[in-house]
């Protein structure tokens, strides 16, 4: 643009002063407006980026609010409350009518009676306690779901973060490849290398372009999967993620805190409490609760036609000759003993697995730091010097390609270490919280978790005692 304006001014054969005025008039508005517009546009982009920049806590909250729209836990809590109210109900009384003598010359007896089973041994109270444990299980399941949701979001978050770094490396490799290709073309034009060397360099550059497109596609897919969690199909946010702090931060204090609130252990304790409550209910149910009978008897004599009324009160006590609950109690006691044994076994195995993962994560960190701080910077320096030497004819194209391939291999190894580190970190956090890692470490983990919760809601039945 500038050259074109100068050429037009020179063709006009203006005096130097006039030409200066023309150049100033022509250049100043364009330069001032362009620079101003560029600064305003950059400022708007930066502001927009800052407004849309989201950390993990913000992303998780956005996902949690969207996933809670269906109101599954409100439904389960409502059902559990209904079971508690149902366990408060008394058994319905029985009304009976009996009459003897239907002819006019016979004595007649008419009896109205009401029978009510009495709860002497606390069967109803035990049923209420058992239904309350079920309500506590719903509250615990809600906490387990939120922990699973958070881990699933963290997994997809880490996928996006790693793919962003991999995309950055792919762009670096593509830039290096372009520099090598430009240098090869200059050497070829100077006649110092063969066309075959130039073609091989072009083939390598095309492959790097394809690899960069593949990485960018994976990044876009990971972004869309993350955006799908809050009900969107387009990725319109910027993750607050620093390449300098790409390694997952997980201290021993974090793991200890997760172990203290291990949800599977809490679930085992609640199941143990449920078994004990169920045994209390069965013990109360095995005892012979009496039935109170109250009635009014009216007698009419056929000879005198006089009516006599009497109040009749009776107590019916079942004979507990055969214990109908003895095997149910035996089953419940066996299950209770199993839960106690299972809990101790799980705690020890879980601690061993977590310790192994922590040792593996520490080893990966040492390798990552060595590559990131020493090996890759040295390889970058070697590749840069090789390229400079190739441009001046000191090194062959194969030397530059070998140094570039070695650098790219180390960069990709760094990405693999980072992927493994995130996987081990999420596995460690999952085990510490008492959650199976496989449930949260997949692209559609939340969909599978939701399907399970929905099915459990549809099959939400009363446990024994809340009948």
């Amino acid at each position: 643009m500038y050259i074109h304006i100068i050429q037009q001014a020179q063709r006009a054969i203006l005096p130097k002063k006039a030409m200066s005025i023309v150049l100033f008039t022509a250049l100043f508005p364009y330069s001032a407006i362009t620079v101003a517009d560029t600064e305003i546009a950059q400022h708007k982009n930066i502001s927009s980026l800052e407004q849309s920049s989201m950390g993990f806590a913000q992303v998780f909250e956005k996902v949690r609010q969207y996933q809670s729209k269906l109101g599954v836990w409100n439904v389960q809590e409502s059902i559990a409350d209904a079971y508690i109210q149902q366990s408060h109900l008394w058994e319905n009384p029985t009304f009976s009518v009996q009459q003897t003598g239907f002819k006019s010359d016979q004595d007649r007896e008419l009896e109205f009676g009401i029978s009510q089973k009495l709860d002497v041994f606390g069967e109803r109270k035990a049923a209420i306690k058992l239904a309350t444990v079920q309500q506590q299980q719903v509250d615990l399941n809600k906490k387990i779901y939120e922990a699973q949701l958070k881990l699933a979001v963290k997994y997809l978050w880490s996928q996006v973060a790693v793919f962003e770094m991999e995309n950055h490396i792919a762009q670096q490799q593509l830039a290096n490849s372009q520099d090598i290709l430009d240098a090869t073309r200059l050497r070829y034009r100077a006649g110092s290398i063969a066309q075959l060397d130039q073609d091989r360099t072009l083939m390598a550059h095309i492959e790097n372009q394809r690899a960069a497109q593949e990485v960018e596609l994976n990044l876009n897919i990971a972004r869309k999967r993350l955006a799908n969690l809050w009900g969107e199909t387009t990725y319109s946010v910027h993750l607050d993620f620093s390449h300098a702090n790409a390694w997952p931060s997980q201290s021993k204090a974090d793991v200890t805190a997760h172990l203290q609130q291990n949800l599977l252990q809490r679930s085992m304790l609640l199941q143990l409490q449920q078994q004990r409550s169920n045994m209390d209910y069965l013990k109360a149910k095995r005892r012979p609760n009496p039935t109170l009978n109250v009635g009014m008897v009216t007698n009419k004599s056929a000879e005198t036609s006089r009516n006599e009324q009497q109040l009749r009160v009776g107590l019916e006590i079942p004979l507990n000759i055969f214990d109908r609950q003895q095997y149910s109690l035996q089953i419940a006691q066996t299950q209770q003993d199993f839960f106690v044994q299972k809990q101790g076994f799980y705690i020890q195995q879980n601690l061993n697995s977590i310790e192994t993962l922590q040792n593996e994560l520490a080893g990966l960190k040492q390798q990552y730091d060595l590559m990131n701080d020493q090996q890759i910077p040295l390889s970058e320096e070697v590749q840069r010097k090789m390229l400079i030497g190739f441009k001046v004819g000191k090194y062959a194209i194969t030397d530059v390609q070998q140094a570039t391939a070695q650098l790219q291999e180390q960069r990709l190894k760094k990405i693999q270490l980072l992927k493994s580190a995130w996987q081990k970190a999420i596995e460690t956090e999952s085990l510490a919280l008492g959650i199976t890692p496989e449930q949260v470490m997949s692209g559609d983990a939340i969909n599978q978790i939701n399907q399970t919760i929905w099915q459990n809601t549809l099959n939400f039945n009363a446990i024994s005692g809340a009948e």
Side-chain angles (χ1 to χ4, degrees), residues 72-84 86 130-142 274 452-463 466:
V72 173
W73 300 111
N74 293 334
V75 174
Q76 289 199 13
E77 289 171 358
S78 177
I79 296 175
D81 290 338
Y83 282 142
I84 292 178
Q86 180 178 342
L130 193 55
T132 304
V133 174
Q134 187 178 22
Q135 187 184 45
Q136 296 174 0
Q137 183 67 53
V138 173
D139 296 336
L140 181 59
N141 290 340
K142 182 178 179 181
Q274 177 181 334
T452 302
I453 295 299
W454 298 341
Q455 190 63 39
N456 292 341
T457 303
L458 294 175
N459 298 332
F460 195 86
N461 296 322
I463 56 179

Side-chain angles (χ1 to χ4, degrees), residues 183-194:
T184 304
R185 286 172 175 171
L186 292 175
R187 291 286 304 275
Y188 173 71
R189 292 171 187 172
S192 58
I193 61 174

Side-chain angles (χ1 to χ4, degrees), residues 156-172:
L156 292 181
W157 163 276
S158 68
Q159 291 286 303
V160 175
V162 171
F163 279 129
E164 282 188 352
M165 178 172 285
E166 189 173 358
N167 184 57
H168 177 69
I169 290 177
Q171 295 302 321
Q172 286 182 326

Side-chain angles (χ1 to χ4, degrees), residues 130 271-284 286 324-341 464:
L130 193 55
Q271 289 176 348
L272 183 60
Q273 181 181 351
Q274 177 181 334
Q275 288 297 323
R276 290 172 178 171
S277 299
N278 188 37
M279 291 183 63
D280 292 340
Y281 172 75
L282 292 175
K283 289 178 181 179
R286 72 191 295 191
R324 302 281 298 175
Q325 305 297 333
Q326 58 178 334
Y327 296 108
S328 298
L329 281 170
Q330 182 179 351
I331 293 172
Q333 183 64 49
T334 303
Q335 291 176 340
Q336 180 177 336
D337 296 339
F338 172 73
F339 277 121
V340 175
Q341 182 180 2
S464 177

Side-chain angles (χ1 to χ4, degrees), residues 382-447:
V382 170
Q383 193 273 342
R384 185 184 65 84
K385 291 181 178 179
M386 281 285 185
L387 181 58
I388 295 175
F390 171 72
K391 291 180 179 179
V392 298
K394 185 177 180 180
Y395 298 112
I397 184 63
T398 54
D399 297 331
V400 181
Q401 290 176 340
Q402 183 179 1
T404 305
Q406 185 179 11
L407 174 60
Q408 181 65 5
E409 182 181 356
Q410 293 172 2
R411 286 171 172 171
L412 294 178
K413 179 62 177 177
K414 172 185 171 182
I415 292 297
Q416 291 300 323
L417 289 174
L418 188 62
K419 287 181 180 179
S420 299
W422 274 104
Q423 180 178 358
K424 302 304 177 184
I426 294 178
E427 286 182 6
T428 303
E429 186 174 354
S430 299
L431 292 178
L433 287 172
I435 295 173
T436 306
E438 290 76 13
Q439 292 179 338
V440 297
M441 297 182 64
S442 64
D444 62 339
I446 293 183
N447 289 334

